[in-house]
Amino acid sequence: MADAAGAWFAGRGWQPFAFQREVWAAMACGESGLLHATTGAGKTYAVAFGAIARIEEPKPTSAPPLSVLWITPMRALAADTARALQAPLAELRPRATLGLRSGDTPSAERARQDKRWPTVLVTTPESLSLMLTRANAEAELGQVRTVIVDEWHELIGSKRGVQVQLALARLKRWNPGLVVWGLSATLGNLQEAMATLLGHEQGRLVQGRIDKTLVIDTLLPDEPGRFTWGGHLGAQMQPAVVREIENSTGTTLIFTNVRSQAEIWYQLLLEARPDWAGSIALHHGSLDKAVRDWVEAGLKAGTLKAVVATSSLDLGVDFLPVERVLQIGSAKGVARLLQRAGRSGHAPGRPSRVTVVPTNTLELVEAVGAREAALAGRVEQRRSPEKPLDVLVQHLVTVALGGGFTADDFYDEVRRAPAYQALTRDEFDWALAFVERGGASLHAYPEYHRVQWVAEEEGTGAGAGPLQGDAWPPWGADAARPGAGRYRVPDRGIAQRHKLQIGTIVGDTAMKVAWVSGGTLGTIEESFIARLSAGDCFVFAGRVLEYVRTKEMTAFVRTATRPNGRVVVWNGARMAFSTEMADAVRTVLERAGSGPGGSLVLDSPELRAAGPMLDAQRRLSRLPEPGTLLVERYRSREGHHLFVYPFAGRHVHLGLAGLLAWRLARDDPNTYSLAFNDLGFELLGAKPISTEALEADQAFTIDHLLDDVLASLNARELAQRRFREIARVAGLIFTGYPGANKGMRQLQASSSLFYEVFRKYDAGNRLLGQAEQEALSQELELGRLREVLQGLSARRLLWVELRAPSPFSLPLMVERFRERLSNEKMKDRLARLLAEAEQRLDAPPAGISMPPRPRGARSAPRNA
């Protein structure tokens, strides 16, 4: 096949790279592995030809059975991959067929596939799990010889990646010779990532080192200003972005971090250039499939001048006409910026370029940090969740549908998935008993008896029925069962409900948005629609719409006569710095403030543009210095402010702010309001905040950290919020049949009811423990919080008494204002603070240099 692949390349004037030939040879020998190469280097064809070569030639009168599964994390990527595979498959295996199965696949095509699977199937983790529920799954999928997992870096750190691990363990049980390859472009822990994909199997790591020019630059604002806050520069950058699009000879792809920002920027472009209507487009996951397909086709053909998109287009999709990529705001992560840069020049030998468009002046500094980290190869590491029991509970029902299982064999199989290597038999037996009897508190409800032990002689019918008695847990091993048999799902209704909500993607309940006159636009979270009244206007799908009414989980709209409206806001719309980004930004700021005699080191265009802001921070306060922790104090009519800057990202700062407030108030009672962003956090106290408390060793100690974190925050509320997602993944809550979804309030009420019932009557329910663990590890990043505290305890405090808000502290104050003030009131408050700060800038600096202190020692605050 290597010769055939080489000939196919030569026929197109191409020459295979060495890494592509290495992958072909490894796959021909039956080796599995991970291919890591830059975006656009040719990873798809490296594994595609190896997979095609492994398709066995069938008899002349038949097509080969399902032989290759290609798993992708996104529907747009699935469609693009299918198009890329079509030509080589048709030429090299003419009798082989190609299919696509995802949430977008029409029902007619699904029906055809149900009768006969294609030879090569491009699918998603959720669709693969659905395939495992088929009664004859082993016969259909047991012949699969090759599995390709695309964009493994996107899946590995999520429960979707755990889904893939469990599915691979199932497929390997049926075919021990299964060859598995993962593809990635942006990962910092390659060996670990490969081990997570392959499990116990040894693999080959192939790194495609292709010389490719990467350009990361910044669109500089005309007037960055000396003070800044979130969104401060957004509208000012509109003309510059329009000029970049005008000057581009190809298509410009404009990435935003969230969907609401995409909607805003699409409107800004149309506002500046109404004549671009029809030649620019909007793309995100909430838009109707027909709209997304039209945009993707336009990108392929090069007929669109620009597309504003979210992460819906930043993975692996091949759009050769894209010449420029603009990133609105900070990418927040090095890998994300590299991934998006690769959307331009998406071919070997073509340069990739991404231009950051700052939405506030601090993002100029973030752009420098991201570029330096990217060029130095400091890319984020990603790790799998550890034994999430909600995913295991779901998988138990899935496999019980797909032919059934015995407990001992299935326990061994599950532990071959790296996420469950540490799963104890006690934990497995608990999960099995939970789906069989519903746990200690749900055993009286038949709908939670989802699987039953069915004796062999009873076949796949109604089964032996639920076990008698109230013993809990019921059975620890198959040997205790009365005769041979398997766990199966005996109830057709339970089976149907399970299939309808397979997967681990959990968000707010989506409501369809449709024209009153007919036709759909996409979906919006119910929580946003619930706040609208008839006649209210909002911006969605690039239009200003007037809300008319809601009927049967559909929001009906008409074109608005007003020129503007509310921007739709989706939940989870804030990203946080990665550890690598946080470290990079702090390094840039420390270097900027290290000039002789307190001068600034402005060694890049971005820092020179940010110079006025950095100078204002230096004069009103201080810039970070190596081995120090900057702490600012300020007195206002609101109370006593304490600003702390660990530069650890907003998730860590959320936990750190609550922890510090609780520890300070424990020794000196006070009432605090909290605010936090990626740079630091603010404590606003009703009384003065004692500096002695911060000087004490107990302020940043890791002793009793877990107990203190749980006491400092509403840990129960955090855990209950995580439990809502866990309950849905574990199948406790049915979200409804198509067209009759439950409302979000109903789902929240249901999950809250389960949470309280388990707490009162089933305190040992392991899903409660999982909710607490996820709240700590994912929402508060407890592990990272511990590392940050250890670092802070060794730093010297740099105290500054502020005469006016500093450029670092002002964004924190604005964060707090936004939570409780109307736009008009916030505008007035902000104007007053800015006037005060500008007036103070002409006075001498307030910061006083502190002499070096012994490691761990702290310096006392001084007034200027």
Side-chain angles (χ1 to χ4, degrees):
M1 176 56 75
D3 293 339
W8 191 88
F9 270 60
R12 286 156 177 76
W14 302 345
Q15 180 68 32
F17 292 114
F19 80 85
Q20 292 174 320
R21 292 189 177 277
E22 182 181 356
V23 173
W24 298 342
M27 294 181 75
C29 295
E31 292 185 61
S32 299
L34 177 69
L35 171 57
H36 185 266
T38 55
T39 299
K43 295 189 297 296
T44 298
Y45 283 147
V47 293
F49 282 94
I52 292 171
R54 289 178 51 78
I55 299 174
E56 294 182 338
E57 289 286 1
K59 296 178 182 179
T61 57
S62 63
L66 178 57
S67 180
V68 179
L69 282 173
W70 193 295
I71 304 171
T72 73
M74 299 179 66
R75 291 171 293 183
L77 182 53
D80 191 72
T81 300
R83 285 189 290 266
L85 295 176
Q86 186 65 61
L89 185 67
E91 293 187 30
L92 302 178
R93 288 288 189 271
R95 290 205 302 278
T97 56
L98 175 68
L100 174 64
R101 194 174 182 104
S102 71
D104 286 341
T105 304
S107 57
E109 175 62 19
R110 287 173 178 268
R112 283 192 292 270
Q113 292 174 357
D114 289 344
K115 294 178 181 177
R116 183 178 183 85
W117 289 111
T119 313
V120 178
L121 182 66
V122 182
T123 188
T124 60
E126 293 74 25
S127 292
L128 176 56
S129 290
L130 271 169
M131 292 166 67
L132 293 177
T133 65
R134 296 163 68 90
N136 56 345
E138 182 173 2
E140 294 178 331
L141 300 177
Q143 299 181 75
V144 172
R145 307 186 75 221
T146 311
V147 176
I148 309 299
V149 183
D150 207 349
E151 306 290 353
W152 178 232
H153 61 272
E154 183 69 17
L155 291 169
I156 183 175
S158 68
K159 291 180 181 178
R160 298 182 80 204
V162 176
Q163 255 188 299
V164 172
Q165 293 180 45
L166 289 168
L168 290 176
R170 192 78 179 143
L171 294 175
K172 288 177 183 177
R173 183 178 188 85
W174 293 333
N175 179 9
L178 185 74
V179 168
V180 178
W181 277 80
L183 302 182
S184 176
T186 49
L187 263 176
N189 52 332
L190 296 178
Q191 288 289 349
E192 182 181 359
M194 182 172 68
T196 303
L197 177 68
L198 303 184
H200 297 286
E201 181 183 355
Q202 294 295 316
R204 181 184 296 201
L205 177 61
V206 178
Q207 294 187 260
R209 302 184 183 278
I210 304 301
D211 291 332
K212 186 177 179 67
T213 302
L214 173 65
V215 178
I216 301 174
D217 57 10
T218 305
L219 200 57
L220 302 178
D222 295 330
E223 298 179 9
R226 298 193 290 185
F227 295 89
T228 188
W229 53 92
H232 166 228
L233 297 178
Q236 184 189 138
M237 301 305 296
Q238 178 201 43
V241 170
V242 169
R243 286 195 298 270
E244 292 295 310
I245 298 172
E246 289 173 337
N247 295 334
S248 176
T249 57
T251 301
T252 300
L253 200 50
I254 304 164
F255 279 112
T256 66
N257 288 339
V258 295
R259 286 166 285 182
S260 55
Q261 198 176 30
E263 293 278 356
I264 291 170
W265 271 92
Y266 180 76
Q267 292 296 322
L268 284 173
L269 295 181
L270 278 183
E271 178 185 300
R273 290 294 302 268
D275 56 308
W276 281 355
S279 62
I280 65 172
L282 178 67
H283 191 289
H284 58 69
S286 292
L287 297 177
D288 189 69
K289 178 182 181 296
V291 175
R292 289 184 277 116
D293 287 347
W294 177 82
V295 175
E296 291 163 25
L299 278 170
K300 283 281 187 183
T303 57
L304 292 173
K305 193 166 188 63
V307 174
V308 186
T310 60
S311 57
S312 58
L313 287 182
D314 71 359
L315 290 180
V317 185
D318 181 7
F319 298 128
L320 285 178
V322 173
E323 179 186 89
R324 292 293 307 282
V325 170
L326 304 181
Q327 165 66 41
I328 303 295
S330 169
K332 301 297 184 183
V334 181
R336 186 178 297 109
L337 188 66
L338 288 172
Q339 192 74 37
R340 292 179 171 182
R343 297 308 102 218
S344 68
H346 195 271
R350 290 182 59 182
S352 293
R353 179 186 177 190
V354 61
T355 300
V356 177
V357 181
T359 61
N360 63 69
T361 310
L362 282 166
E363 287 182 341
L364 291 166
V365 180
E366 295 175 26
V368 177
R371 178 172 63 234
E372 293 180 355
L375 297 179
R378 296 193 295 272
V379 181
E380 289 83 6
Q381 299 185 5
R382 307 192 190 188
R383 293 181 170 84
S384 171
E386 293 186 11
K387 53 184 181 184
L389 294 179
D390 55 341
V391 183
L392 176 59
V393 164
Q394 184 183 108
H395 190 63
L396 283 164
V397 182
T398 293
V399 176
L401 278 168
F405 62 88
T406 59
D408 293 342
D409 288 345
F410 195 52
Y411 172 62
D412 292 338
E413 177 185 314
V414 166
R415 291 183 69 234
R416 291 185 175 274
Y420 297 98
Q421 283 181 348
L423 183 75
T424 66
R425 184 56 193 253
D426 184 58
E427 290 169 327
F428 176 83
D429 286 342
W430 178 88
L432 177 56
F434 186 72
V435 296
E436 186 178 16
R437 295 286 304 277
S441 54
L442 300 177
H443 61 273
Y445 301 93
E447 61 266 37
Y448 297 107
H449 300 173
R450 289 177 279 177
V451 307
Q452 292 180 11
W453 176 266
V454 179
E456 277 186 353
E457 62 270 21
E458 296 176 14
T460 58
L467 297 172
Q468 301 301 314
D470 294 326
W472 183 259
W475 302 97
D478 299 324
R481 292 291 181 181
R486 300 173 74 80
Y487 286 98
R488 299 182 186 274
V489 177
D491 184 273
R492 185 175 299 230
I494 290 175
Q496 185 179 17
R497 290 193 294 271
H498 179 78
K499 291 178 181 180
L500 282 172
Q501 55 186 51
I502 271 184
T504 61
I505 301 175
V506 178
D508 199 347
T509 303
M511 293 184 65
K512 187 183 297 182
V513 180
W515 297 110
V516 172
S517 56
T520 60
L521 289 162
T523 58
I524 294 179
E525 291 173 356
E526 184 197 11
S527 56
F528 178 83
I529 296 293
R531 295 194 294 268
L532 299 178
S533 300
D536 286 350
C537 296
F538 62 97
V539 177
F540 177 66
R543 299 172 171 89
V544 182
L545 307 172
E546 180 185 334
Y547 171 69
V548 178
R549 65 179 180 274
T550 294
K551 183 179 180 182
E552 297 178 351
M553 291 302 291
T554 299
F556 289 94
V557 298
R558 61 167 64 100
T559 300
T561 55
R562 286 185 247 165
N564 49 48
R566 297 192 218 178
V567 175
V568 177
V569 177
W570 283 264
N571 288 335
R574 291 198 176 185
M575 293 181 175
F577 271 173
S578 67
T579 300
E580 289 73 13
M581 269 291 293
D583 292 343
V585 169
R586 180 180 175 87
T587 298
V588 171
L589 287 170
E590 289 176 350
R591 186 176 72 240
S594 66
S599 62
L600 295 174
V601 178
L602 307 177
D603 53 6
S604 67
E606 293 90 348
L607 290 182
R608 286 191 286 275
M613 182 271 293
L614 295 174
D615 181 62
Q617 175 67 26
R618 179 180 60 85
R619 293 169 62 189
L620 283 172
S621 175
R622 300 285 291 273
L623 286 169
E625 298 174 12
T628 65
L629 173 64
L630 177 61
V631 182
E632 298 173 340
R633 291 202 305 182
Y634 176 60
R635 173 73 183 275
S636 75
R637 286 182 292 181
E638 292 184 289
H640 302 265
H641 305 256
L642 186 75
F643 303 100
V644 186
Y645 303 100
F647 293 88
R650 65 180 300 116
H651 290 163
V652 172
H653 293 156
L654 164 62
L656 195 54
L659 177 67
L660 188 58
W662 186 81
R663 285 177 171 176
L664 293 177
R666 180 180 55 186
D667 299 327
D668 183 16
N670 203 344
T671 300
Y672 292 107
S673 296
L674 310 180
F676 43 89
N677 60 19
D678 282 315
L679 300 187
F681 60 90
E682 174 198 29
L683 304 185
L684 173 60
K687 302 190 309 182
I689 301 172
S690 167
T691 59
E692 289 75 14
L694 278 179
E695 296 289 335
D697 292 337
Q698 294 303 308
F700 297 111
T701 183
I702 61 172
D703 295 341
H704 311 293
L705 177 58
L706 179 59
D707 292 337
D708 285 359
V709 167
L710 293 175
S712 66
L713 297 169
N714 189 344
R716 181 176 167 185
E717 171 58 29
L718 289 176
Q720 188 168 352
R721 190 164 63 207
R722 297 301 306 183
F723 185 79
R724 292 171 191 163
E725 299 184 5
I726 290 170
R728 291 168 74 174
V729 171
L732 290 173
I733 300 171
F734 180 52
T735 54
Y737 293 101
N741 290 6
K742 288 185 179 181
M744 189 59 189
R745 290 181 181 176
Q746 290 176 276
L747 295 175
Q748 288 181 352
S750 298
S751 65
S752 298
L753 178 61
F754 278 114
Y755 185 80
E756 293 301 328
V757 167
F758 289 163
R759 284 185 65 251
K760 291 180 180 178
Y761 304 108
D762 188 8
N765 192 296
R766 294 178 186 268
L767 296 181
L768 293 178
Q770 182 185 339
E772 294 174 359
Q773 186 273 329
E774 286 188 9
L776 292 170
S777 64
Q778 297 181 28
E779 297 202 29
L780 300 177
E781 296 190 23
L782 186 64
R784 173 67 175 148
L785 177 59
R786 182 184 298 274
E787 294 174 2
V788 169
L789 283 170
Q790 289 175 318
L792 294 180
S793 64
R795 291 190 197 174
R796 176 170 58 91
L797 294 185
L798 275 183
W799 284 95
V800 175
E801 296 283 351
L802 294 177
R803 301 161 295 163
S806 68
F808 284 5
S809 64
L810 185 64
L812 286 165
M813 299 178 77
V814 172
E815 286 281 332
R816 186 165 40 76
F817 293 163
R818 282 180 172 146
E819 294 293 327
R820 58 188 184 85
L821 297 179
S822 66
N823 286 341
E824 287 302 317
K825 289 183 178 179
M826 192 186 87
K827 183 178 178 181
D828 294 340
R829 182 76 60 85
L830 188 54
R832 189 164 58 248
L833 287 171
L834 283 172
E836 180 183 359
E838 293 284 359
Q839 184 179 12
R840 293 285 190 176
L841 265 177
D842 293 330
I848 303 297
S849 297
M850 304 296 172
R853 302 280 301 271
R855 183 177 179 82
R858 304 190 179 278
S859 50
R862 302 183 189 176
N863 294 321

